[in-house]
């Protein structure tokens, strides 16, 4: 297995969209793991890559018909290699979570279980988008060590993921106008909630109030501006190509949403730093497809 094949198997650059989850959770909970929080973005990335490898292992027979260019059906990666990569990366992810403490490890274990459940059981069922949304929800809570203070931002990222996953089901055969409209409405709602949360946080004295009240809504607007146009394209023409593009944009749109939620917690510097990931994720998507 060549490095390029491994990169395609795990959707290597797409993992840039997940480290912000645990940072959002940690900020919401007051950075409970302190310096050990640095291990949690690594845990997120490893578990994300594990899920991608497991996804292709689970879909290997379907991909042989619908996506024969993927690493397994094309013969570039053996099924047992993909399964081994998924298992190994799951172990790495849990080990990184353990560095941050017992509570992050407990949530990380639930996250790993959700990842494997989605790929092996739930994906083709009606529950698939909900289970996928739960992985982002739990990823945020992992950063918070399961503390309830992070439930709001965890829900925001989970709801966004639910909408993106629903659209992604049309990447091969197209989706429906109703699904696309729901996703677009969700993006507007999540963006508005993130902006409002930042304004409320600034009023309540969370962090530097002026910076929070400006950066939070501004980053929320950038999230909507990044994600909504592609979803509206799907509303106008719900074909497979538009659904695939909206899915990729929706995955990358996680980053400005995470940044908006971070700014809403007063972590404006971290939010602006996270936004440097956006051009990297966009460039990476041109080399390795995130879907």
């Amino acid at each position: 297995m060549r490095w390029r094949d491994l990169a395609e198997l795990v959707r290597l650059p797409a993992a840039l969209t997940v480290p912000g989850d645990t940072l959002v959770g940690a900020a919401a909970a007051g950075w409970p793991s302190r310096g050990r929080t640095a291990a949690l973005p690594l845990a997120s990335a490893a578990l994300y890559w594990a899920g991608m490898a497991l996804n292709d292992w689970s879909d290997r027979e379907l991909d042989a018909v619908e996506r024969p260019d993927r690493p397994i059906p094309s013969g570039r990666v053996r099924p047992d290699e993909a399964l081994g990569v998924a298992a190994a990366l799951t172990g790495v992810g849990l080990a990184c979570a353990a560095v941050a403490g017992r509570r992050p490890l407990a949530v990380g274990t639930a996250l790993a279980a959700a990842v494997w459940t989605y790929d092996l059981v739930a994906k083709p069922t009606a529950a698939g988008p909900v289970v996928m949304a739960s992985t982002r929800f739990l990823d945020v809570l992992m950063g918070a060590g399961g503390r309830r203070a992070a439930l709001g931002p965890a829900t925001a990222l989970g709801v966004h993921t639910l909408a993106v996953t629903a659209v992604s089901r049309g990447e091969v055969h197209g989706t429906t106008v109703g699904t696309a409209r729901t996703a677009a409405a969700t993006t507007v709602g999540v963006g508005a909630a993130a902006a409002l949360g930042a304004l409320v946080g600034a009023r309540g004295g969370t962090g530097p109030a002026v910076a929070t009240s400006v950066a939070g809504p501004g980053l929320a607007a950038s999230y909507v501006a990044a994600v909504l146009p592609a979803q509206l394209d799907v509303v106008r023409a719900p074909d497979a190509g538009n659904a695939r593009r909206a899915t990729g944009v929706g995955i990358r749109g996680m980053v400005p949403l995470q940044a908006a939620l971070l700014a809403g917690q007063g972590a404006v510097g971290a939010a602006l730093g996270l936004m440097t990931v956006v051009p990297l994720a966009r460039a990476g998507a041109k080399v390795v497809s995130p879907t």
Side-chain angles (χ1 to χ4, degrees), residues 55 66-67 70 118 123 128-129 132 160-176 179-180 183 231 234 239-240 242-248 250-251 290-291:
N55 172 82
E66 296 183 345
R67 298 185 177 185
R70 277 186 167 176
Y118 174 78
K123 181 166 46 182
M132 174 58 84
H160 171 76
T161 303
L162 180 65
V164 172
T165 306
V167 172
S168 76
R169 291 189 155 200
E171 287 185 314
V172 176
H173 302 295
T175 185
T176 66
T179 298
Q231 293 175 335
V234 184
D239 56 66
N242 280 338
R244 193 176 305 117
R245 177 173 172 269
T247 299
I251 292 171
T291 65

Side-chain angles (χ1 to χ4, degrees), residues 4 120 191 194 199 204 213:
R4 171 65 191 233
L120 298 182
L199 292 173
S213 63

Side-chain angles (χ1 to χ4, degrees), residues 42-169:
L42 300 177
S44 295
L47 291 173
Y48 185 92
W49 286 328
M52 292 297 99
L54 188 62
N55 172 82
D56 279 17
W57 180 85
S58 177
D59 283 354
R60 61 194 185 279
E61 294 180 1
L62 180 62
D63 284 343
V65 177
E66 296 183 345
R67 298 185 177 185
D69 57 323
R70 277 186 167 176
I72 295 177
S74 68
R76 290 177 289 130
V77 175
R78 298 195 313 269
D80 62 314
E81 289 177 324
L83 187 60
V85 167
L89 286 169
T90 299
V92 170
L94 293 177
C96 290
V99 171
R102 287 179 294 179
R103 295 184 67 160
L105 175 60
V107 182
T109 301
L111 170 57
V115 168
W116 282 70
T117 297
Y118 174 78
D119 283 325
L120 298 182
V121 179
K123 181 166 46 182
T125 73
V130 175
V131 177
M132 174 58 84
S134 76
T135 63
R136 285 283 180 166
F137 180 88
L138 289 168
D139 202 22
V140 176
L141 288 187
M142 183 168 66
R147 289 168 175 80
R148 289 184 292 178
L151 287 177
T155 299
L157 280 158
V159 169
H160 171 76
T161 303
L162 180 65
V164 172
T165 306
V167 172
S168 76
R169 291 189 155 200

